[in-house]
């Protein structure tokens, strides 16, 4: 890239925190918000999920995404307002759930329109584009920011991800596929929800706006995995390996290997196995194979994962508990997209 792309603000809302800062503190402390949800499984027992405690349980589907989105955007806009006024272009890359029962293509269009309307209500001109889907969608969006920033250095980018599994059709679908963690299901996950936003800018624009450089994007790569969870062989980590190799291509290895790994492992066996293959093939890229997998705290957060993980990394740098200056975020979408994003602490 011609100049570093830097994260200049973060926002989040999850079952364990209403801001990026409180969410990161809760995850670091191992706080969990898994609880029974008023939806019965086929045996008549309530399922266990991670849910936003301030949202009514009757709120579901696309309607449930909006308050999380708005709350997260408000955080980021307040932080951006602490710098100088940005008079250039603002591009919003939206990251939404993959299509599934309970969330359709029409729902995605509706959410995109609602985000645009929210900015318009504040008389802020932005362009809104759905750039990614599912867990790895946020990394695809950051990959696009890195590419686009080179030709549009005065553009401010917002990568905004949101997801919630809390819809009857979605929960039934997960149960049919034996993905929902419950008695009798091995390797299921706890459905979660959340939203997060990363504001990104080129280093020159960041300096002109007087905003802090919270982390630098040193690499972002997506790839496609052909063997999905229902493959006879299981995933062998080919796509994820390609993503890691692409994201870390600029590192002097093994001298400047990755210090911390944040991954969307959620209890499903194939995700853990995939990480094992990736670690085996790309071992010199990592100082340790230890990883952070906060699904135990906030459940599986789907499309919100990558920006949420980015917010965790930023807080680890800001609070001084990161094990080193480099962190890698790994993600795998249900549909086969795999992504890796390398973030580095900025030294001034």
């Amino acid at each position: 890239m011609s100049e570093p792309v830097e994260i200049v603000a973060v926002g989040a809302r999850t079952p364990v925190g209403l801001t990026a800062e409180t969410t990161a503190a809760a995850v670091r402390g191992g706080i969990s918000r898994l609880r029974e949800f008023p939806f019965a499984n086929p045996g008549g027992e309530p399922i266990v999920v991670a849910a936003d405690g301030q949202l009514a349980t009757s709120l579901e589907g696309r309607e449930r995404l909006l308050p999380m989105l708005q709350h997260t955007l408000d955080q980021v806009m307040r932080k951006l307002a602490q710098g100088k006024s940005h008079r250039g272009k603002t591009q919003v890359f939206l990251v939404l759930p993959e299509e599934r029962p309970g969330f359709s293509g029409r729902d995605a269009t509706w959410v995109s329109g609602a985000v645009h309307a929210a900015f318009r209500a504040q008389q802020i001109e932005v362009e809104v584009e759905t750039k990614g889907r599912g867990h790895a969608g946020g990394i695809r969006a950051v990959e696009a920011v890195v590419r686009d920033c080179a030709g549009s250095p005065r553009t401010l980018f917002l990568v905004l991800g949101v997801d919630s599994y809390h819809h009857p059709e979605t929960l039934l679908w997960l149960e049919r596929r034996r993905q929902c963690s419950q008695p009798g299901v091995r390797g299921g996950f706890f459905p979660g929800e959340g939203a997060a936003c990363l504001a990104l800018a080129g280093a020159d624009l960041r300096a002109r706006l007087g905003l802090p450089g919270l982390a630098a994007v040193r690499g972002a790569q997506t790839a496609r995995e052909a063997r999905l969870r229902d493959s006879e062989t299981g995933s062998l980590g080919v796509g994820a390996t390609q993503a890691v190799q692409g994201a870390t291509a600029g590192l002097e290895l093994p001298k400047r290997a990755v210090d911390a790994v944040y991954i969307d492992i959620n209890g499903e066996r194939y995700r853990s196995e995939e990480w094992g293959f990736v670690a085996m093939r790309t071992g010199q890229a990592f100082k340790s194979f230890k990883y952070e997998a906060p699904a135990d705290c906030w459940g599986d957060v789907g499309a919100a994962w990558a920006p949420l993980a980015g917010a965790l990394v930023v807080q680890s740098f800001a609070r001084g508990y990161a094990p080193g200056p480099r962190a890698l975020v790994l993600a795998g979408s249900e549909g086969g997209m795999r992504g890796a994003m390398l973030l580095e602490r900025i030294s001034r």
Side-chain angles (χ1 to χ4, degrees):
M1 68 189 79
S2 58
E3 67 168 328
V5 173
E6 301 180 359
I7 298 176
V8 298
V10 297
R13 176 167 174 167
T14 69
V16 297
L18 295 179
T19 66
E21 292 79 9
T22 56
T23 289
V27 169
R28 189 185 181 204
I31 294 174
S32 176
R33 286 291 183 265
L34 299 176
R35 61 182 178 89
E36 291 184 348
F37 196 70
F39 182 85
N41 64 21
E45 298 295 326
I47 66 169
V48 175
V49 305
D52 187 315
Q54 294 197 7
L55 296 181
T57 56
S58 59
L59 199 63
E60 59 189 35
R62 67 189 191 184
E63 301 283 352
R64 195 170 178 89
L65 304 185
L66 288 189
M68 293 190 289
L69 280 172
Q70 187 64 65
H71 186 92
T72 301
L73 279 173
D74 288 346
Q75 289 175 55
V76 170
M77 298 310 291
R78 284 196 300 269
K79 291 174 180 178
L80 293 176
Q82 295 174 13
K84 298 177 183 177
S85 178
H86 175 54
R87 302 186 182 281
K89 177 182 175 182
T90 298
Q91 175 73 60
V92 178
F93 285 157
L94 195 57
V95 185
L96 297 174
E98 296 174 277
E99 288 194 34
R100 65 196 182 206
F103 194 84
S104 66
R106 183 175 296 179
D107 291 327
T109 301
W110 183 88
V111 173
S112 178
V115 170
H116 197 276
F119 279 102
R120 194 164 54 242
Q122 299 182 47
Q123 298 183 329
I124 301 174
E125 288 298 321
V126 300
E127 294 183 12
V128 179
E129 178 182 352
T130 300
K131 183 58 70 173
R133 294 295 190 94
H135 296 73
I139 297 178
R140 184 180 184 186
V142 173
E143 186 181 28
V145 171
V146 172
R147 181 183 64 247
D148 294 356
C149 193
S152 186
R154 296 189 177 183
T155 299
L156 179 66
F157 294 90
L158 302 181
V159 172
L160 178 61
V162 66
D163 207 335
S164 175
Y165 290 97
H166 304 342
H167 186 287
E169 292 181 17
T170 304
L171 294 173
L172 287 171
W173 174 70
L174 291 176
E175 288 181 347
R176 288 195 300 269
R177 292 161 59 91
R178 298 183 64 80
Q179 286 183 272
C180 192
S181 183
Q182 56 186 316
V185 175
R186 293 183 61 187
F189 65 80
F190 296 107
E193 61 186 353
C197 181
L198 304 178
L200 302 109
D204 287 346
L205 177 60
R206 191 271 311 157
R208 285 199 299 271
L209 295 177
L211 294 169
L214 305 178
V217 180
R218 295 302 182 190
Q221 182 74 45
T222 56
R224 182 65 58 175
E225 177 58 60
R227 294 182 175 89
L228 305 182
R229 61 178 295 274
D230 55 356
S231 167
E232 291 184 1
T233 62
S235 173
L236 301 180
V238 175
T241 297
Q242 293 172 349
V244 169
Q245 290 171 336
T248 61
L251 291 179
E252 182 185 352
L253 299 175
K255 181 180 179 180
R256 301 186 182 278
V258 171
D259 301 285
V261 176
Y262 291 76
I263 191 168
D264 58 346
I265 286 177
N266 61 0
E268 292 182 283
R269 181 176 175 180
Y270 87 96
R271 290 179 178 270
S272 300
E273 292 177 342
E274 185 171 276
W275 163 242
F277 283 112
V278 172
M280 180 176 63
R281 294 192 182 105
T282 62
Q284 67 171 352
F286 304 98
K287 290 184 179 178
S288 168
F289 295 134
K290 181 181 178 181
Y291 58 78
E292 300 290 336
D296 288 344
C297 299
W298 59 33
D300 186 301
V301 292
W305 161 251
L308 271 176
L312 295 184
V313 172
V314 163
Q315 288 304 304
S316 76
F317 291 161
R319 303 292 293 179
Y321 57 82
R326 284 168 289 277
L328 193 73
V329 175
L330 295 176
S333 295
E334 184 84 12
M337 182 182 293
R338 301 293 184 263
M341 174 174 64
L342 178 64
L343 300 178
E344 187 172 74
R345 185 171 56 215
I346 298 173
S347 299
R348 300 296 183 192

